[in-house]
Amino acid sequence: MDVKDINSYAPRAQAKKFESKEYKVFEMFRKDWAVVTAGTPDKFNSCVVAWGSLGTIWTVPGKKTGSTVTVYIYPTRYTNEVLQHSEKFTVSFFPKTLRKQVFVLGSQSGRDTDKVNESGLTPKVIDGAVTYEEATFTFVCRKICQLPIKKEDIAQDIRDYYAANPQGYPVDENGDYHPHWIFMGEIIATDGEL
């Protein structure tokens, strides 16, 4: 798959402009099907996520605004594996007219198939991270934190939710589910308009 490299694009000049925009943060992930992409331009993978948040952490006056995107990815997803070894990732949003193409990214494993090619979407590189031409808006992030959620650290009703949904949260060889991983990224660039 050819990836369009637009590293000549000046994403850092636009990096703080996104902070002045108003986002419907509760709808962005829940309704608009965010796509997380991790890896390198030569080897990357994407998945659809419905759980995510925008926020701030670890601000450094005059140097870092602390603006972040946090996504939650199930441990059996191939994108989780790729993201654990990536320095950057993107979180992209698409028009509703492309739901069918985006669905391919969320319904197949990139471990076994070329789902990007099958989706018909066009990868492109921004600041060393992969997103898609068709995305209406993308956050480019530098990964600053990753950690698995431990079962004992979540409320009982959430544990019950995981256990009651084995189709959505597959169990391991011991018949046990594992909660999502948290990936937090410092927003270093944006592309497009919401």
Side-chain angles (χ1 to χ4, degrees):
M1 166 75 43
D2 290 331
V3 179
K4 182 178 178 186
D5 187 347
I6 59 170
N7 281 326
S8 58
Y9 170 81
R12 294 194 188 276
Q14 209 182 20
K16 293 198 174 53
K17 184 178 175 185
F18 72 88
E19 292 177 347
S20 64
K21 296 186 182 259
E22 292 186 27
Y23 301 100
K24 295 180 178 180
V25 294
F26 296 108
E27 293 181 15
M28 290 173 68
F29 291 95
R30 190 170 45 214
K31 292 183 179 178
D32 292 338
W33 288 18
V35 171
V36 174
T37 304
T40 65
D42 296 328
K43 184 176 169 125
F44 62 91
N45 198 63
S46 303
C47 72
V48 175
V49 296
W51 296 358
S53 58
L54 302 177
T56 57
I57 191 170
W58 298 315
T59 58
V60 179
K63 293 186 178 182
K64 291 187 177 194
T65 63
S67 298
T68 59
V69 176
T70 303
V71 292
Y72 308 87
I73 301 178
Y74 200 68
T76 59
R77 299 297 298 259
Y78 180 53
T79 303
N80 183 306
E81 180 182 321
V82 175
L83 188 46
Q84 287 184 44
H85 303 285
S86 298
E87 293 181 22
K88 294 180 181 178
F89 65 94
T90 61
V91 180
S92 305
F93 300 89
F94 293 79
K96 290 184 182 0
T97 56
L98 293 177
R99 286 280 173 133
K100 188 175 181 181
Q101 291 87 339
V102 171
F103 181 76
V104 172
L105 299 179
S107 63
Q108 298 183 28
S109 174
R111 184 182 283 120
D112 308 319
T113 61
D114 184 358
K115 65 181 180 178
V116 172
N117 191 43
E118 189 173 323
S119 75
L121 297 172
T122 311
K124 71 176 181 180
V125 176
I126 299 175
D127 204 23
V130 179
T131 183
Y132 295 91
E133 290 275 343
E134 296 83 359
T136 55
F137 186 78
T138 298
F139 290 108
V140 180
C141 302
R142 178 180 71 94
K143 186 177 67 180
I144 58 174
C145 182
Q146 67 182 28
L147 59 133
I149 299 173
K150 297 178 184 174
K151 283 185 202 176
E152 59 270 17
D153 292 339
I154 57 178
Q156 186 60 50
D157 62 317
I158 305 301
R159 291 184 210 178
D160 295 344
Y161 171 79
Y162 275 105
N165 291 287
Q167 303 85 356
Y169 308 109
V171 296
D172 64 17
E173 62 278 354
N174 299 318
D176 204 10
Y177 73 89
H178 298 276
H180 286 65
W181 275 61
I182 299 170
F183 294 95
M184 186 180 303
E186 172 189 16
I187 300 168
I188 58 172
T190 60
D191 184 49
E193 295 290 328
L194 273 175

